[in-house]
Amino acid sequence: MPILGVNFTKIEAERKTIPKGNVNISSNISIKSVEKNEFKLPGQESIKIDFVFNADYNPNIGSIIVEGETIFVDEPKKLEGILSQWKKDKKLPEDILARVMNSLLEKCNVEALILGKEVGLPPSLNMPTVKV
């Protein structure tokens, strides 16, 4: 897989009130920017993808924000097409978008679980349960 890793640049977790009753959690991840990166491998170049992940706990209980970047490596010609499409309409090709978003969601959801626990927010993902 041509995704080299996910690095966080900002992590923020806030609990405003003690959770009571039903808590609705909405999470979202978005790509802020895509740009050429200096990192290269033999026959390959890279782009840097900046992102922001938000988890909002309602009614107004708290929030988690995680910002960061990931490095995507591929052939120079393919990266030129990706950069061109991003500059044109702020979108990534669907096959690239799926790989990038799945990688980001995996890392961000785990981080959100940890951060939520630290500040006393309910888990942002449904945890498995055993039924007897």
Side-chain angles (χ1 to χ4, degrees):
M1 182 181 277
I3 296 170
L4 292 186
V6 177
N7 299 308
F8 297 137
T9 57
K10 176 182 176 182
I11 297 175
E12 181 180 304
E14 176 183 25
R15 188 192 76 205
K16 297 176 184 175
T17 63
I18 296 173
K20 296 177 187 170
N22 289 336
V23 177
N24 293 320
I25 305 167
S26 61
S27 60
N28 181 33
I29 191 163
S30 60
I31 295 176
K32 296 185 337 184
S33 68
V34 178
E35 58 189 40
K36 193 167 184 137
N37 194 34
E38 298 294 320
F39 181 79
K40 295 181 182 184
L41 291 172
Q44 296 186 322
E45 294 183 1
S46 66
I47 55 175
K48 180 177 73 146
I49 301 169
D50 291 320
F51 67 90
V52 62
F53 170 88
N54 294 307
D56 291 315
Y57 292 74
N58 290 305
N60 200 23
I61 293 169
S63 65
I64 295 173
I65 300 170
V66 177
E67 293 183 16
E69 60 192 25
T70 188
I71 306 298
F72 185 84
V73 177
D74 213 327
E75 299 171 356
K77 199 175 219 179
K78 189 165 186 176
L79 293 181
E80 286 175 23
I82 293 169
L83 287 168
S84 174
Q85 184 173 350
W86 177 261
K87 288 177 185 173
K88 181 180 170 188
D89 56 12
K90 301 292 185 218
K91 291 184 180 179
L92 292 175
E94 286 185 19
D95 61 327
I96 305 300
L97 180 64
R99 281 192 278 176
V100 169
M101 290 302 237
N102 285 330
S103 175
L104 295 177
L105 283 170
E106 181 181 313
K107 184 98 173 187
C108 290
N109 278 318
V110 169
E111 191 66 22
L113 280 171
I114 295 166
L115 293 170
K117 181 181 176 194
E118 293 298 323
V119 297
L121 290 171
S124 55
L125 295 173
N126 291 332
M127 301 303 287
T129 58
V130 175
K131 293 185 182 186
V132 179

